[in-house]
């Protein structure tokens, strides 16, 4: 029959219906996605129901003159039966050594006249507008497009032509051409991206002319190519695909339809080359790149840009969030790659990830990577395709880590047994050893994260032994009254004794081993608020890492960022900012792991909190928590410790912002996790209990708060000592509750030893010491002792100005309180200077209160009244009275005070 006179039919059999014109199969009324070859085979069989269609005829009509393996037809039949379902699939009968036959009744309905090609293209005719190429075979057809392979008769060169059937498909072709131009201009010609050579968008038939990058990955796998590769070869293919997608992401291109059919594969000298193709569904994260490169945005609409949520990919490979209308992101492409990796490693590109899929993957590390890449929550997936690829390439080193970690755990168990023998005799030793042990294990974990080569295993084991020696021989020996020579050895003295022995005892050890020891001690001192000692250990760790040629790795990152946080605790804000700036400029900041990224965000939040920039700090802490999200729970010690610290600081920051309910909820969640993991008497849950008590105090639940704080103070004093930072912080919060209850003298008396403790522990300029100093001044002022209050407030203001500047939120709050005390003392001369430049927003950062403008007006009214400026005083007083939002007797500015001043002026 002449090609142009062909008819198409719709066939019905059982619960299935096949529309030949649309190349569409439906089962039980629902469309079924299936590749073209099985559908073409179904059309051949349905055209001759009850008759055997010989294998050679099927080969000739479906595959033409292309060389195929013996099982390619069997694979097509297998897919067809699977698509039809058990009942309908039984109708495809195998006739031994002959071919296949369709059995059973079938209804054939005329679908109208239809050319085999909707564009009236056929094998053997020249390509329209490219007469030197001849159409060889149709590779695919849908209601939107046709794809053909064409051959140059003289040279044998082949090319791929994608023809547009209608205007919708033309827009897709234009988009693909535009995206390819962006990729080529930004990345150059890359072997892993299929090239678009030319296009015709001027007159029909419209088409893209592309290089022939080989078979689709799906067809190649069906012909036995994938089965012939071992696990390493399959992983290598997956990494090629990841590298191609990562390159596209790097220039702002989201593919949005990653699947085996859109990946090409061809044999090259030495192996197989993958090429990513079909960017017709792609979108741009940065559309402005087109303008910068002077590329016309053909086919690009608003919906095609910025990760539009329009579903255009293949359902099985689409990330779950897209089905709920979420925007497409880098992590959506990453999900598709995770599914593809699973199928490649299984050796079956039709395998579905169902419950128990992990058993199909022999390597538990790879299974964990796939699980993370395909997590239903995009926030828990890898942050980028590059990170996914790094994990896979790092498999040998990660397996080495497992061996070293097992050895470390065996050493740690021996240490725990020795610790148990000390527990009953000296309770605080438990806390000291735990502090150092956490640092030791975390340092070891970081060390393993850097040292990958097999020859480094021995050095890792040396570090394990060195760490265990410091723990069991130096620290516990220092805590033993018999060996120490006295019974009153403190935690810090024991740690200091252990630290002082390191330079001599390990003088001959490798630099990286010494670095691990110093890093462990840095973490221990920092956790015990011995910040100068912590800084010294951090500097020694960095010096040792520099000698080891490893000054940009994970251990250096840990040491540097811990130092930045310690500087904040000491009130050395300039040093903290300088340390972070130097880190950001280093090579290490450009290749951060999720842990390092979280640690940097956490350190930056401390700089913000030091300046009382609370909202900015909360945002940074939220980003840090998100960066930690994909990491395992529970995880390595360094991860768990940082996760707890970030969660604690989030709760604390909500408290400081006045969002007490959220702060309470966050802290209760953290406390429950810590008690389950460590027990209720461990310093970590005890300190979280301190923050929770403070939160309850701010909600006027004073009895509950005092009960929690009293328990925490007793527990922390027993485990860490009365002068530890955490114990002092607990006493600080208890004093704050008495202040808010109006018990000002009692609060001042409780804050004085807190100030003395922080002064000795972290120095007079530290944020903790300055806060306690100013709190004492305000408590004395509120108790009526303005003269003593002035002395304390002047001291606090001098320290705050020196460390954070006269206009910082903390300094502004102290200036306000000092002006208040001077007005009580009838010494108004300095007050205008103190009030000049005070900003309500800055004061609100220091203390959450909605009525700071009214409070400032209140002091101005008092200042004018002291000077006898009655009209100005009344005007300021009206402004203050109008802004008053609460009448709290614990505040000097309340309705009673306003009324009293108004009466004075009216006399």
């Amino acid at each position: 029959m002449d090609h142009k006179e062909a008819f198409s039919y719709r066939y019905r059999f059982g619960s299935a219906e096949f529309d030949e014109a649309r190349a569409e199969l439906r089962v039980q009324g629902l469309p079924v996605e299936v590749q073209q070859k099985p559908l073409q085979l179904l059309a051949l069989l349905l055209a001759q129901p009850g008759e055997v269609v010989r294998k050679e005829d099927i080969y000739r009509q479906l595959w033409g003159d292309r060389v195929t393996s013996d099982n390619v037809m069997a694979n097509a039949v297998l897919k067809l039966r699977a698509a039809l379902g058990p009942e309908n699939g039984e109708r495809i009968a195998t006739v031994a050594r002959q071919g296949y036959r369709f059995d059973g009744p079938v209804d054939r309905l005329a679908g109208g006249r239809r050319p085999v090609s909707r564009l009236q293209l056929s094998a053997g005719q020249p390509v329209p507008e490219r007469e030197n190429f001849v159409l060889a075979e149709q590779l695919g057809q849908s209601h939107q497009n046709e794809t053909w392979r064409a051959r140059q008769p003289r040279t044998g060169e082949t090319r791929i032509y994608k023809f547009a059937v209608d205007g919708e498909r033309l827009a897709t072709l234009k988009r693909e051409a535009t995206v390819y131009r962006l990729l080529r201009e930004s990345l150059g010609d890359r072997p892993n991206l299929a090239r678009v050579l030319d296009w015709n968008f001027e007159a029909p038939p419209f088409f893209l002319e592309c290089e022939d990058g080989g078979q689709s990955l799906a067809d190649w796998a069906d012909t036995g190519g994938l089965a012939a590769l071992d696990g390493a070869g399959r992983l290598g293919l997956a990494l090629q695909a990841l590298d191609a997608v990562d390159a596209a992401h790097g220039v702002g291109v989201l593919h949005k339809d990653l699947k085996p059919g859109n990946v090409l594969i061809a044999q090259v000298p030495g192996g197989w080359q993958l090429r990513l193709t079909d960017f017709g569904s792609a979108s741009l994260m940065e559309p402005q790149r087109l303008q910068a490169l002077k590329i016309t945005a053909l086919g690009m609409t608003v919906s095609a840009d910025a990760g539009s949520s329009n579903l255009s990919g293949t359902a099985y490979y689409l990330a779950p969030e897209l089905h709920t209308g979420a925007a497409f992101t880098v992590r959506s492409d990453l999900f598709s790659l995770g599914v593809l990796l699973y199928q490649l490693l299984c050796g079956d590109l039709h395998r579905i990830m169902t419950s128990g899929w992990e058993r199909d993957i022999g390597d538990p590390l790879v299974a964990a990577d796939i699980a993370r890449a395909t997590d239903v929550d995009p926030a828990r997936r890898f942050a980028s395709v590059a990170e996914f690829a790094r994990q896979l390439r790092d498999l040998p080193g990660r397996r080495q880590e497992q061996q070293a970690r097992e050895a470390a755990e065996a050493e740690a168990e021996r240490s725990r047994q020795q610790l148990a023998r000390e527990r009953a005799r000296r309770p605080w030793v438990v806390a000291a050893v735990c502090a150092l042990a956490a640092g030791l294990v975390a340092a070891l974990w970081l060390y393993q994260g850097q040292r990958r080569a097999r020859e480094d295993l021995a050095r890792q084991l040396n570090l394990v032994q060195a760490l265990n020696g410091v723990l069991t021989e130096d620290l516990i020996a220092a805590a033993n009254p018999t060996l120490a020579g006295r019974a009153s050895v403190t935690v810090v003295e024991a740690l200091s004794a252990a630290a002082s022995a390191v330079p001599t005892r390990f003088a001959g050890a490798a630099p990286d081993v010494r670095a691990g020891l110093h890093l462990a001690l840095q973490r221990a001192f920092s956790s015990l608020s011995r910040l100068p000692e912590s800084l010294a250990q951090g500097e020694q760790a960095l010096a040792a890492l520099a000698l080891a040629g490893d000054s940009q790795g994970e251990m250096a990152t840990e040491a540097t960022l811990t130092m930045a946080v310690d500087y904040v605790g000491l009130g050395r804000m300039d040093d903290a900012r300088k340390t972070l700036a130097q880190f950001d400029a280093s090579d290490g900041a450009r290749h951060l792991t999720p842990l390092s990224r979280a640690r940097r965000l956490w350190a930056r939040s401390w700089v913000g909190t030091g300046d009382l920039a609370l909202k900015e700090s909360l945002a940074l802490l939220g980003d840090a928590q998100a960066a930690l999200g994909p990491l395992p729970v529970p995880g390595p010690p360094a991860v768990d410790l940082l996760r707890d610290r970030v969660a604690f600081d989030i709760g604390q920051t909500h408290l400081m912002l006045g969002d007490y309910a959220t702060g309470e909820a966050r802290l209760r969640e953290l406390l429950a996790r810590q008690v389950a993991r460590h027990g209720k008497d461990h310093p970590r849950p005890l300190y979280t209990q301190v923050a929770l008590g403070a939160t309850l105090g701010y909600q006027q639940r004073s009895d509950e708060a005092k009960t929690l704080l009293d328990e925490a103070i007793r527990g922390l004093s027993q485990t860490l000592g009365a002068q530890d930072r955490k114990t002092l912080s607990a006493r600080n919060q208890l004093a704050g509750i008495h202040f808010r209850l109006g018990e000002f003298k009692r609060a001042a008396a409780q804050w004085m030893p807190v100030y003395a403790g922080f002064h000795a522990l972290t120095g007079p300029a530290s944020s903790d010491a300055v806060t306690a100093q100013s709190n004492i001044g305000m408590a004395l002022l509120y108790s009526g002792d303005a003269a003593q209050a002035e002395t304390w407030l002047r001291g606090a203001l001098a320290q705050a100005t020196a460390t954070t500047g006269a206009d910082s939120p903390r300094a502004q709050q102290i200036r306000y309180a000092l002006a208040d005390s001077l007005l009580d003392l009838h010494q108004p001369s300095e007050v205008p200077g103190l009030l000049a430049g005070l900003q309500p927003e800055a004061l609100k950062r220091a203390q959450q209160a909605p009525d700071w403008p009214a409070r400032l007006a209140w002091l101005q009214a008092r200042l004018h009244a002291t000077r006898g400026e009655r009209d100005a005083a009344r005007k300021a007083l009206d402004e203050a009275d109008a802004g008053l939002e609460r009448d709290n007797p614990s505040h000097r500015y309340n309705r009673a005070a306003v009324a009293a001043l108004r009466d004075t002026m009216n006399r």
Side-chain angles (χ1 to χ4, degrees):
M1 179 182 292
D2 182 81
H3 163 71
K4 295 184 180 179
E5 296 300 321
F7 279 80
S8 66
Y9 296 94
R10 285 187 296 120
Y11 298 92
R12 291 176 180 168
F13 53 93
S15 61
E17 180 177 326
F18 174 57
D19 189 327
E20 190 178 14
R22 294 173 176 265
E24 180 181 79
L25 175 66
R26 288 177 174 267
V27 176
Q28 295 182 341
L30 299 175
V32 178
E33 185 169 334
V34 63
Q35 294 175 340
Q36 287 294 311
K37 295 301 183 187
L39 289 180
Q40 293 168 10
L41 173 60
L42 178 61
L44 283 177
L45 297 175
L46 288 172
Q48 308 170 64
E51 299 180 15
V52 176
V53 181
R54 301 180 63 82
K55 287 184 177 181
E56 50 266 35
D57 293 333
I58 296 174
Y59 274 124
R60 185 177 62 255
Q61 295 192 53
L62 267 62
W63 284 279
D65 58 356
R66 292 181 60 192
V67 177
T68 61
S69 66
D70 292 338
N71 66 346
V72 65
M73 187 183 305
N75 283 334
V77 172
L78 184 65
K79 292 177 190 175
L80 177 57
R81 287 171 174 158
L84 290 170
E87 231 178 275
N88 302 318
E90 290 178 355
R91 296 172 180 247
I92 310 300
T94 302
V95 182
R97 294 184 296 279
Q98 295 185 49
Y100 296 92
R101 180 183 66 238
F102 183 89
D103 288 342
V106 58
D107 296 328
R108 186 172 73 170
L109 307 174
R113 189 170 60 188
R114 177 192 66 89
V116 175
S117 164
R118 294 179 65 188
L119 295 171
Q120 299 184 355
L121 301 174
S122 61
Q125 76 178 63
V127 176
E129 304 297 327
R130 299 290 187 273
E131 302 296 328
N132 56 335
F133 277 86
V134 176
L135 295 173
E137 61 176 324
Q138 190 180 65
L139 301 178
Q141 177 183 7
S142 73
H143 66 284
Q144 287 187 327
N145 67 82
E146 294 182 18
T147 304
W148 287 78
R149 175 177 280 110
R151 184 173 286 105
Q152 219 285 352
R154 183 172 56 84
T155 64
E157 178 188 358
T158 57
R159 291 185 181 175
I160 304 299
Y161 290 87
K162 300 179 180 180
F163 293 96
V165 172
D166 53 28
E168 182 180 352
R169 179 57 182 168
L170 174 58
T172 302
L173 294 184
K174 287 182 176 181
R175 184 183 305 120
E176 185 168 1
T178 300
V179 171
Y180 175 73
R181 287 192 63 195
L182 171 62
L183 292 170
R184 186 190 63 193
E185 293 294 329
S186 302
L187 301 172
D189 285 330
R190 296 174 62 94
N192 55 9
L193 296 174
R195 292 187 298 157
V196 175
L197 304 174
D198 203 355
W199 50 80
N200 168 40
F201 299 151
E202 301 301 323
F206 309 110
F207 61 79
L208 282 181
E209 182 179 10
C210 309
E211 73 168 336
D212 189 349
Q215 290 178 275
S216 75
L217 190 61
D219 288 343
W220 173 78
D222 289 343
T223 57
L226 183 58
L229 291 182
D230 60 12
R234 296 173 186 179
L235 182 60
L237 290 182
L239 285 169
Q240 287 190 52
L242 265 65
D243 290 343
V245 176
D246 179 53
H249 286 178
V251 295
V253 175
L254 299 173
H255 190 280
K256 297 178 67 174
D257 192 15
L258 293 169
K259 59 183 179 181
N262 287 337
V263 179
L264 305 178
I265 186 168
Q267 194 159 22
V268 296
W272 297 94
Q273 175 64 58
L274 256 61
R275 291 180 175 86
L276 189 59
T277 188
D278 199 350
F279 284 86
S281 300
S283 65
L284 305 182
M285 293 183 281
E286 303 172 29
Q288 64 272 21
R289 282 180 177 265
L290 295 178
Q291 185 176 3
L293 294 170
K294 298 181 179 179
I295 297 174
T296 303
L298 299 174
M300 305 304 296
T301 63
V302 173
S303 64
D305 298 334
S308 163
S309 61
N310 294 336
L311 291 182
S312 57
T314 303
Y316 175 59
Y317 295 92
L318 286 176
E321 68 271 11
L322 302 178
H323 295 282
T324 63
F328 208 104
T329 67
V330 165
R331 291 178 177 180
S332 307
D333 269 350
L334 198 146
F335 177 92
S336 305
L337 290 170
V339 175
L340 181 59
L341 173 61
Y342 165 73
Q343 293 177 325
L344 282 170
L345 294 180
C346 288
D348 182 357
L349 297 186
H350 307 287
R351 184 79 61 89
I352 304 296
M353 291 181 72
T354 58
S355 178
W357 65 264
E358 296 89 349
R359 291 190 293 272
D360 299 330
I361 305 298
D363 189 328
L365 292 176
V366 178
D369 291 340
I370 294 173
R372 182 174 171 189
T374 58
D375 197 292
V376 69
D377 181 359
R380 299 183 70 86
R381 296 175 202 152
F382 294 102
S384 67
V385 175
E387 184 185 356
F388 189 11
R390 280 197 301 271
Q391 281 287 96
L392 295 174
R393 286 193 167 95
D394 207 19
L395 282 169
R398 292 162 65 195
R399 295 184 185 112
Q400 299 275 345
E401 286 180 31
Q402 280 187 316
Q403 298 176 31
R405 189 177 294 117
E406 289 170 1
E409 289 172 354
E411 292 286 352
E413 179 58 31
R414 284 192 286 274
S415 297
R416 280 191 289 269
Q417 292 174 2
Q418 184 166 357
L419 172 61
R421 291 191 292 270
E422 298 289 334
R423 184 182 298 270
R425 184 173 55 82
R426 293 184 62 76
W428 65 259
V429 174
V430 176
V433 174
C434 286
L436 182 57
L440 300 178
V441 177
L444 176 63
W445 183 77
L446 293 174
Y447 180 85
Q448 293 166 352
Q450 294 181 196
R451 298 295 174 185
R452 305 298 192 193
R454 183 179 299 275
E455 57 268 21
D456 287 319
L457 261 182
R459 191 168 291 176
Q460 293 180 30
L461 294 175
N462 288 339
L463 178 57
V464 173
Q465 293 166 356
L467 298 176
N468 189 59
V470 171
L471 181 65
T472 59
E473 297 175 32
D474 294 334
L475 179 65
I476 294 179
N480 188 321
T482 303
L483 299 177
R486 59 191 177 94
S488 58
V489 178
T490 67
V491 178
V492 174
E493 287 174 332
L495 281 173
S496 298
S500 65
V502 168
T504 303
R505 186 172 173 188
F506 297 97
D512 44 8
V513 172
R514 296 202 307 275
L517 291 168
H518 289 302
L519 184 60
L521 289 163
Q522 179 194 27
R523 176 180 288 275
F525 278 121
S526 183
S527 69
L528 294 170
S529 303
R530 301 302 299 190
L531 305 186
E533 292 91 337
S534 174
L535 287 170
Q537 293 297 323
E539 290 170 354
Q540 292 180 71
L542 291 176
L545 287 169
L547 289 175
D550 202 2
S551 58
Q552 305 295 332
E554 188 82 28
M555 293 173 72
T557 297
E558 158 79 358
T560 301
L561 295 179
T562 300
M563 289 177 68
V565 175
D566 289 343
Y567 281 132
V568 174
L570 290 170
R572 296 165 58 178
M573 303 304 300
D574 289 341
D575 288 329
R577 295 189 189 94
K578 181 179 178 181
T579 300
L580 287 173
Q582 289 174 343
F583 175 77
D584 288 343
S586 69
D587 290 338
R590 286 187 276 276
H591 306 287
L592 292 178
T593 64
L595 176 62
S596 295
R597 188 180 304 109
R599 200 183 302 281
R600 180 171 66 170
L601 290 163
W602 177 66
R604 285 197 171 284
S605 79
W606 270 75
V607 173
T609 301
D611 288 339
L612 297 176
L614 298 176
K615 291 183 180 178
E616 294 90 334
S617 296
L618 187 61
L620 289 166
L621 288 167
D623 291 342
Q625 195 169 57
L628 288 168
L631 298 178
V633 180
V639 174
D640 286 341
L641 180 59
L642 184 58
R643 184 178 277 119
D644 279 3
R645 285 182 168 180
V646 170
F648 179 88
D649 288 347
I650 287 175
Q652 280 278 72
T653 307
H654 279 294
L655 166 63
M656 297 171 71
L657 284 168
D659 185 1
Y660 306 131
T662 303
E664 178 184 352
R666 293 296 186 93
L667 291 169
R668 285 194 185 280
E669 291 172 6
L670 174 61
L671 181 61
R673 291 200 305 270
Q674 290 177 327
V675 169
R677 191 186 315 148
H678 304 293
K680 65 182 181 63
D681 296 326
H682 189 278
R684 282 199 213 171
L686 284 172
Y687 193 53
T688 301
Q689 189 170 318
V690 172
L692 180 59
T695 305
L696 296 176
Y698 278 104
Q699 297 178 76
Q700 284 78 52
R701 294 155 64 181
S702 302
D703 291 340
E704 293 177 72
K706 287 192 284 187
T707 298
L708 285 176
L709 289 170
D710 285 336
E711 290 177 359
I713 290 169
R714 284 195 299 272
L716 291 170
S717 296
Q718 291 173 359
T719 55
L720 300 179
Q723 296 303 307
D724 180 81
R725 183 177 187 174
K726 291 180 172 60
T727 309
L728 294 172
S729 295
R731 294 187 182 281
N732 176 61
Q733 296 297 344
L734 186 60
I737 289 176
H738 289 296
F739 181 90
R740 287 188 291 277
L741 290 173
E743 300 169 0
F744 304 123
K745 290 184 178 180
R746 185 174 182 181
Q750 289 179 332
W751 266 320
M752 286 182 182
V754 171
Y755 169 71
F758 281 129
H759 187 287
L761 190 65
T762 57
S766 68
S767 59
D768 289 321
V770 174
T771 298
Q773 192 175 15
S774 62
N775 284 344
I776 293 169
M778 284 187 282
L780 290 169
L781 175 63
Y782 278 44
S783 71
D785 192 346
Q788 285 293 321
E790 178 195 0
T791 301
W792 284 93
L793 290 169
R794 285 192 185 280
L797 181 59
Q799 295 291 355
T801 301
T803 55
T804 62
D807 293 322
S808 68
R810 178 181 290 114
Q812 288 198 37
Q813 184 191 26
I814 300 171
R815 285 164 55 191
Y816 177 93
L818 180 57
D820 200 359
S821 68
L822 291 174
L823 288 171
D824 272 14
L825 293 169
H826 304 287
Q827 299 173 10
S829 59
E830 292 182 60
V831 172
L834 290 169
L835 296 182
L838 294 188
Q839 299 294 325
E841 284 304 313
L843 289 163
K844 193 174 180 180
R845 287 183 175 185
Q847 179 185 348
Q848 284 295 310
D851 54 359
W852 272 112
R855 293 190 189 194
L856 289 171
W858 160 247
L859 284 194
Q860 290 288 355
R862 292 183 62 203
L863 176 62
H864 290 307
T866 301
R867 291 172 167 178
E869 301 165 350
R870 291 177 177 263
D871 290 342
R874 288 191 182 94
K875 182 179 179 181
L877 195 58
D878 289 342
E879 182 181 344
D881 202 7
L884 185 62
E885 294 193 5
R886 57 185 175 178
D887 191 10
N888 189 333
S890 71
H891 293 162
R892 287 166 58 78
Y893 167 52
N894 53 48
R895 287 193 174 92
V898 170
L901 181 58
R902 197 182 296 279
D903 287 344
T904 299
M905 291 189 300
N906 289 334
R907 291 194 189 112

